[in-house]
Amino acid sequence: SNLLRLILNAHSQIAIPHPPHIMRYLAHLQGSYGDLDNDHNMRSLVRDILSLIAAHIFPWDVPLDPDALVANAPQRSTFGAVAAIYEVVRQQQAAARWGNKSTFMVHFTEDVLQVYPEAKFIFLIRDPRDVAVSARKSVFSPCHPWLSATLWNKQQSLGLHLCETLPKTTIHQLRYEDLLENPEKTVSALCDFLNEEWEPSMLQFFDGGEAQKSPSLSESWANTGKPVLKNNTRKFLKALSPAEILLVESTCRAPMVALGYELTTDPADHKSPS
C-alpha cells in the first residue's frame, strides 16, 4: 500500500500523505466526546487527532489549526475532522484531490460516502502468504502468520463484498502482483478509473522527497526509495514453512480462490487451526 501511495502521490493532481490511521484509532471513541455539534467537544476531538498526527512515525510538514478545522469540517464526526485535515493537505500541495491509504479504511466506506458521495475506493490485494512474510519482518507487526492471515481474510472478505455492492465506478480492484509485473498498464488503468490523466512521472516516484525519506524512518520502508521491484512476489515459497503455508491457506481459502490465488496445499488438509 505504501508503494501505491507513493505512485499516486507523484501525480500532479493527487495528494496522499502517509496515514496516521486516524479512523482506526479514534472513530470508535467518537461517542466519548459528547455532542460534536458543540464546538468545544469537536475541538477536543480535533486536538486529539492532531496529537496522533504529531506522534506518528512519519511527520507531516503541514500547519493545522484546530479552530479552522472545526469551522471547516464538512460533518461533525471523526471522518468530518479527517476530511477537513486532508483538505488542508490537498491545498498545500496544490492538488485537485486527496487520498487516504490506511488499509483500515475498508471498515469505514459508509463514513466516507456520507461526506463524499462520489468518492472512489481502490481495493488493493496481495497474496496472503507473501503478506505473512512481509508482516513478520515488519517492525510494526512482527506477528505470527496466523494473525496476518486472519486479518487478511477478514479485510479481503469485506473488500469482495464491497466490490459486489458498490457501483463499478466507485471501487477498483488492483492486484499488487499486477502492479509489479506491468506497472505502467496497471497504473494507467487506475488513472482511467480515477478520471485522471496518466503521468509517466508517477513511476519515477522513488525520486521524490517522501520516497527518499521513508527508508530513513523505518527499515520496513527500505524499498520505497527504489523503482518497482518486479520479482517481489511468491517469497513465501522460501520464507514460510510448509505448516505455515498450510495455516495461511486454510485460514484464507475462500477469498484466495475468489481473488484468483492458486492454493499449494490440498483443501482436504485444511482443518481449523489449533
Side-chain angles (χ1 to χ4, degrees):
S1 59
N2 215 18
L3 169 64
L4 186 60
R5 179 188 77 83
L6 289 167
I7 290 173
L8 288 172
N9 194 54
H11 193 286
S12 63
Q13 296 302 310
I14 303 174
I16 308 183
H18 203 288
H21 305 296
I22 298 167
M23 293 297 288
R24 178 197 182 191
Y25 291 121
L26 291 173
H28 68 289
L29 297 176
Q30 179 173 305
S32 65
Y33 290 91
D35 182 3
L36 294 182
D37 285 332
N38 180 293
D39 284 355
H40 173 76
N41 296 340
M42 185 67 177
R43 192 177 296 108
S44 295
L45 170 60
V46 167
R47 284 176 173 163
D48 283 350
I49 292 175
L50 296 185
S51 295
L52 175 61
I53 294 173
H56 187 54
I57 186 174
F58 202 114
W60 284 14
D61 185 21
V62 182
L64 296 168
D65 177 68
D67 292 331
L69 294 172
V70 170
N72 295 326
Q75 183 186 78
R76 290 301 182 98
S77 65
T78 307
F79 186 76
V82 170
I85 290 168
Y86 275 75
E87 282 294 333
V88 174
V89 175
R90 179 191 66 78
Q91 293 166 13
Q92 176 166 300
Q93 295 191 24
R97 67 200 305 171
W98 60 264
N100 183 326
K101 85 99 186 172
S102 175
T103 54
F104 301 98
M105 290 305 294
V106 70
H107 301 286
F108 300 105
T109 53
E110 291 185 7
D111 299 75
V112 175
L113 290 170
Q114 285 181 8
V115 177
Y116 296 106
E118 303 301 317
K120 292 181 178 287
F121 301 97
I122 302 168
F123 178 32
L124 176 64
I125 58 174
R126 185 184 184 186
D127 189 316
R129 297 159 295 193
D130 279 343
V131 171
V133 174
S134 179
R136 187 158 62 181
K137 295 191 299 182
S138 170
V139 298
F140 304 110
S141 56
C143 300
H144 193 281
W146 181 81
L147 183 62
S148 59
T150 301
L151 178 62
W152 189 95
N153 182 64
K154 180 179 180 179
Q155 292 187 331
Q156 267 44 238
S157 297
L158 179 53
L160 283 167
H161 174 70
L162 292 172
C163 287
E164 294 172 355
T165 56
L166 292 175
K168 299 299 182 184
T169 54
T170 298
I171 189 165
H172 177 80
Q173 184 173 305
L174 191 158
R175 287 170 60 103
Y176 173 74
E177 294 80 10
D178 294 338
L179 178 61
L180 300 192
E181 179 65 27
N182 197 330
E184 182 171 341
K185 179 181 178 181
T186 304
V187 177
S188 179
L190 178 57
C191 286
D192 288 343
F193 166 73
L194 296 173
N195 299 319
E196 296 288 352
E197 293 291 330
W198 151 255
E199 295 181 359
S201 59
M202 298 173 74
L203 295 183
Q204 298 299 313
F205 65 90
F206 51 88
D207 289 330
E210 282 214 10
Q212 295 298 317
K213 182 178 182 180
S214 295
S216 69
L217 297 174
S218 171
E219 63 185 50
S220 295
W221 300 328
N223 291 332
T224 61
K226 305 174 185 177
V228 173
L229 301 176
K230 187 173 183 179
N231 297 318
N232 196 33
T233 60
R234 296 186 69 80
K235 297 186 294 183
F236 71 90
L237 292 172
K238 293 182 178 180
L240 295 184
S241 70
E244 289 170 336
I245 293 174
L246 178 61
L247 179 63
V248 173
E249 292 188 1
S250 63
T251 304
C252 303
R253 181 173 66 185
M256 279 185 70
V257 172
L259 293 168
Y261 289 107
E262 185 177 353
L263 301 174
T264 63
T265 57
D266 187 344
D269 295 330
H270 293 181
K271 302 175 181 177
S272 298
S274 61

